[in-house]
Amino acid sequence: MPEPNEGRNPGTGGRVATRHCIGRIGVISIKATGNTTRMKKLTRPLLLLALLLCAGALFAHHGNSAYDETARVPIKGTVTEFIWTNPHSQIYLDVKDSSGKVVNWGVETNSPGILTRAGWTRRSLKAGDQITIILCPAKNGQPVAYAGSGDPGTKVIFADGRELLFADKTAGP
Amino acid sequence: MRIHFRSALVPLVLILSAGVNAQVPAPKRDLSGVWGLLPAREVSEDDKQSPGGEVPPMTAWAKARFDLEKPGYGKRAAPGGNDPILQCDPMGFPRILYFPAPFEFAQISNRVLQMFERDNVVRQIWTDGRALPNDPDPLWYGYSTGKWVDDTTFVVESTGYDDRTWLGAAGFPHSETMRLEERYQRVDRDTINFTLKIDDPQAYTKPWIALPRVLKLRPRAEIRQGYCVASEENAFTKRIREPGALKTGAAPKN
């Protein structure tokens, strides 16, 4: 069983605790306005509730990560590339914001070794797939993010409801 | 009659459940197989990919090196940084042991081989009785000798580690004269209790006793060829790492 959080790009910092937070509330859309990312459709009370639900994780989070690992944000879009490289595989997808503008997101995920033990192959995703990824977005608002075994709760969901998870399926006797 | 049936059934169930839960004894003098570390604790800020335990005070030599390190994890973490593995430089030992991938032990006549997924590293642990060299040229994964101190406990001593590697992702340094003592005690077929002592007087004022860890046999896992490829890592850096490391509000580079 991989140790939580240790398979991630070390240039992006660490995490102590994880929880499902915003992802529980529902799919949001992301609007890239200039250099900032704004969440639409989530009302302020709901956002406040999400933050309260995350409070424990926020207090436990001491790292200076590039990713907000206390959040689990659903991003819905169309896969443009799935790059199966070591030590960081990557998922790129076009995400349409509420104004219709398309932003290409880059999502860091695990190495092929870790993904293989989680049941993935290089063909698990392909350009054109309609997916939602539950991910940890970059703190700086850029359309980059992390989803992988380092942050439980992150996952890929296909349009038909099928899911790709990151947990190691070979753990145990 | 029903009472008699139950009376017979209960011991049978107990026997069967005991059989399921019984630990199979460890084979003698054999570590062969794929092993993975169990999570040992709530991961703290400074022990990502590290030995854990209490870090002893650093010497002035080590502190000067530590101050130059810009890690991606721990109290001093910041996006970006100069962790050697960001360029696919060798991770070194013991850091690679704590990386989240299983490793494999294989035993041949004069060595125990420790095979890691990251960079497909094979660490050779000599078991032919030789002594550690007095002044070895530095190696990324050191010079190691091992011996069985009893039928289930394998002890490895090593030195000669290239000092460009870090003792974990938080950037703790070590010297080339660092000496490690690892103990792999196979307490049953599926379990190794692992301890590590780091003795590096040039870097630390007293030995660093790593957090004891448990390794579990992973018969369904296979070690893959996990080479860190610099060209691929650089492409990743350009497309994701650097945009993610920009200060809030800064324009992306691509």
Side-chain angles (χ1 to χ4, degrees):
Chain A
M1 177 187 295
E3 187 155 7
N5 197 42
E6 295 196 9
R8 187 187 316 93
N9 158 27
T12 58
R15 168 203 61 84
V16 173
T18 57
R19 263 175 218 193
H20 285 280
C21 300
I22 298 171
R24 281 180 171 165
I25 292 171
V27 175
I28 59 172
S29 63
I30 301 296
K31 179 176 182 178
T33 306
N35 296 316
T36 62
T37 301
R38 288 195 296 135
M39 298 177 185
K40 293 284 191 181
K41 294 184 182 175
L42 265 182
T43 63
R44 283 173 188 265
L46 276 178
L47 187 57
L48 180 62
L49 177 62
L51 290 172
L52 287 172
L53 287 171
C54 294
L58 287 170
F59 288 129
H61 179 77
H62 305 292
N64 188 8
S65 169
Y67 302 125
D68 181 359
E69 295 170 278
T70 64
R72 298 291 182 272
V73 177
I75 298 293
K76 188 175 184 179
T78 305
V79 174
T80 56
E81 291 176 86
F82 178 40
I83 299 182
W84 183 256
T85 53
N86 201 61
H88 308 289
S89 298
Q90 299 141 64
I91 304 165
Y92 293 90
L93 67 165
D94 279 341
V95 178
K96 189 178 290 185
D97 68 22
S98 57
S99 71
K101 181 184 175 185
V102 173
V103 176
N104 192 246
W105 278 67
V107 182
E108 170 187 348
T109 187
N110 294 121
S111 69
I114 292 173
L115 291 180
T116 298
R117 285 187 288 275
W120 293 53
T121 75
R122 65 192 168 111
R123 303 191 196 285
S124 289
L125 290 171
K126 63 181 188 303
D129 284 344
Q130 303 292 315
I131 61 171
T132 297
I133 307 184
I134 311 295
L135 48 72
C136 302
K139 288 177 177 175
N140 66 4
Q142 296 299 319
V144 295
Y146 175 82
S149 65
D151 284 311
T154 56
K155 61 184 173 181
V156 173
I157 308 166
F158 289 95
D160 63 4
R162 192 164 48 91
E163 294 186 345
L164 285 171
L165 306 176
F166 299 104
D168 191 329
K169 293 182 176 177
T170 70
Chain B
M1 187 65 188
R2 177 176 289 178
I3 293 173
H4 289 161
F5 176 73
R6 281 184 178 169
S7 299
L9 190 62
V10 169
L12 180 64
V13 168
L14 288 174
I15 290 168
L16 287 174
S17 62
V20 168
N21 295 326
Q23 292 163 334
V24 179
K28 290 184 178 179
R29 299 186 178 229
D30 186 7
L31 296 176
S32 303
V34 176
W35 299 89
L37 277 176
L38 285 184
R41 73 288 189 199
E42 180 72 15
V43 177
S44 72
E45 300 173 57
D46 279 328
D47 60 6
K48 300 288 190 300
Q49 298 164 13
S50 96
E54 184 179 348
V55 182
M58 278 183 259
T59 63
W61 176 87
K63 184 67 168 54
R65 293 178 71 105
F66 185 64
D67 289 344
L68 293 174
E69 311 298 14
K70 297 173 183 173
Y73 288 117
K75 296 184 185 75
R76 304 180 305 148
N82 60 3
D83 189 328
I85 72 169
L86 299 185
Q87 305 177 71
C88 293
D89 283 353
M91 183 168 273
F93 191 90
R95 183 175 177 182
I96 197 169
L97 187 70
Y98 297 103
F99 202 65
F103 69 89
E104 185 164 9
F105 274 127
Q107 297 182 195
I108 57 178
S109 61
N110 59 351
R111 281 163 287 170
V112 168
L113 305 178
Q114 199 171 18
M115 301 182 288
F116 296 96
E117 183 162 285
R118 173 90 183 188
D119 289 328
N120 231 28
V121 165
V122 178
R123 179 185 181 219
Q124 301 186 79
I125 303 169
W126 294 95
T127 54
D128 55 4
R130 69 183 66 189
L132 288 177
N134 285 326
D135 183 25
D137 294 327
L139 297 168
W140 290 110
Y141 291 90
Y143 196 100
S144 307
T145 62
K147 64 180 179 184
W148 291 93
V149 295
D150 60 40
D151 280 345
T152 56
T153 307
F154 186 64
V155 176
V156 182
E157 295 187 331
S158 59
T159 189
Y161 288 98
D162 193 304
D163 65 7
R164 287 172 290 180
T165 63
W166 293 3
L167 294 177
F172 292 107
H174 68 82
S175 77
E176 289 179 357
T177 54
M178 170 178 75
R179 289 181 76 104
L180 303 182
E181 181 188 283
E182 303 148 65
R183 298 179 77 87
Y184 299 87
Q185 184 184 22
R186 191 168 187 175
V187 293
D188 60 49
R189 183 195 60 190
D190 300 325
T191 310
I192 290 174
N193 289 341
F194 172 72
T195 61
L196 168 67
K197 182 174 78 171
I198 302 167
D199 195 2
D200 189 356
Q202 186 177 337
Y204 299 95
T205 59
K206 59 181 182 180
W208 179 345
I209 307 300
L211 197 71
R213 300 293 295 267
V214 174
L215 293 158
K216 282 292 184 182
L217 192 64
R218 297 281 303 275
R220 295 188 292 126
E222 295 180 1
I223 304 302
R224 290 178 56 87
Q225 298 177 26
Y227 291 101
C228 188
V229 178
S231 60
E232 294 178 349
E233 182 72 343
N234 291 339
F236 165 78
T237 294
K238 289 288 182 193
R239 296 187 71 180
I240 291 185
R241 181 178 285 135
E242 286 182 353
L246 291 173
K247 290 182 179 176
T248 301
K253 290 184 178 178
N254 52 358

